[in-house]
Amino acid sequence: MNRSIVCGSVTTAIKAKKALINQGMKAHVERLNRASEIYGCGYCITVPSAQLSQALEILNQQLIRYKGVLEEDN
Amino acid sequence: MIYFDNAASSFPKPRGVAKAISKAVRSYGANPGRSGHALAMRAAEKIYECRQRAAELFGMAEPERVIFTQNATAALNLVLKGIMSGGGHAVTSDLEHNSVRRPLLAMADAGVDVTEARVDFYDDDATLRSFEDALRPDTRLIAVTHASNVWGNVLPVRSLCALAKGRGIPLVLDASQTAGKLDISMADGYAAVCTAGHKGLYGPQGTGLLLLAQGLYLPTLTEGGSGAASLDPGQPEDPPERYEAGTLNTPGIAGLFEGLGYVMDNSAEEIGLFERELCLHLFTELSRMTGVRLYTPVTARSAGLLSFNIEGMASEKVAAALDRAGFCVRGGLHCAPSAHRRMDTLKSGAVRVSFGAFNTHRQVDALLRAVYKLAVGG
């Protein structure tokens, strides 16, 4: 099971992915699927559910801004 | 042909540049930041890698503050018009290229007033005083070239930056003639650095960079698609997408990535030093030639270029004669009338010779023989 962190742009998503991978985490960039009606196109970082809080902590520490976390699978 | 017009655009490029451009076109020619498929993501990754490489070269912590533009002019327009959008006073040097001069003069109706501070070719302290004297209570910007694209002299930009910081005025650096040739670090306090990608950074034409300091937020010049937050009526707030409406030049940026790699592998300082050696060689021999007029000295702080004239010949005629002899140089005014006014060469123009990393001393000797034939005969 994965969770998706919504990013403001593909640049932020790639930056976030690299930050997480540098910390030994699994992460990849995806285009937002069902969330288009909320965000109007965009990108997210998908991480294993169990690592979500750790991922958010890393992003916060590195001042990488994200828009939110999807409640369900992207 | 022997190419000495690197101040206009560097040629040839490092081998990997054309290969990278071709690979981008052939292997992942999708639109970065628009779709989610594998090729679009590969293009977006390459774009980001180029931002990272540029950020590393220019001492920036945030790759997203590396903005891709079409050229240095586009970068300068964005930042100059952004900072001066509310009107006010701007200070530049009396050696600026039209890419700085014209955007500011075009804002005269919007209440922008410009003072050109005099650059002293021999005394940096005098240059600094000249800028200091030009500042007013309503000065909102100092925009200055790092090196004259006509005379090659390097301005004391670190001192100017310290002066600007002390007064709380943003300093915008036009590094078109120095990026890839001198160490430039955003840590020195520039509000923004603008440069071409296709000159000393050895990328292809159609690439430019705007490096934005943290905290500098500008109005946009161009609005449009950004691949995200499409429901919002306005441009995104965050860089780089805020300033990059529309599809990016992925093949060009892939080529620029290789050009930046070449500069970093060989060191900007080393490349600059080598070009100054070539320039000094040319200057020394030209200064011994009857009928050749030189204008400014080549010093340890010159960019790798100089301009000269042959008595009794228009600069464009000299450039054309050298072209027929197999040399690419540039006559005329080099889009920098202020710099020519300064040396009283507005009518004649001057013949500019500008070096790149792939020139050789042997090529300089060949040029010297050709100039000698034109100036002295034989």
Side-chain angles (χ1 to χ4, degrees), chain B residues 65-79:
Chain B
R65 302 196 75 83
V66 173
I67 317 297
F68 292 116
T69 60
Q70 187 188 354
N71 44 46
T73 298
L76 284 160
N77 268 267
L78 206 164
V79 70

Side-chain angles (χ1 to χ4, degrees), chain B residues 154-175:
Chain B
V154 175
L155 276 64
V157 291
R158 284 197 179 114
S159 304
L160 290 172
C161 209
L163 169 69
K165 273 193 102 175
R167 304 287 186 96
I169 300 166
L171 186 142
V172 173
L173 185 71
D174 174 5

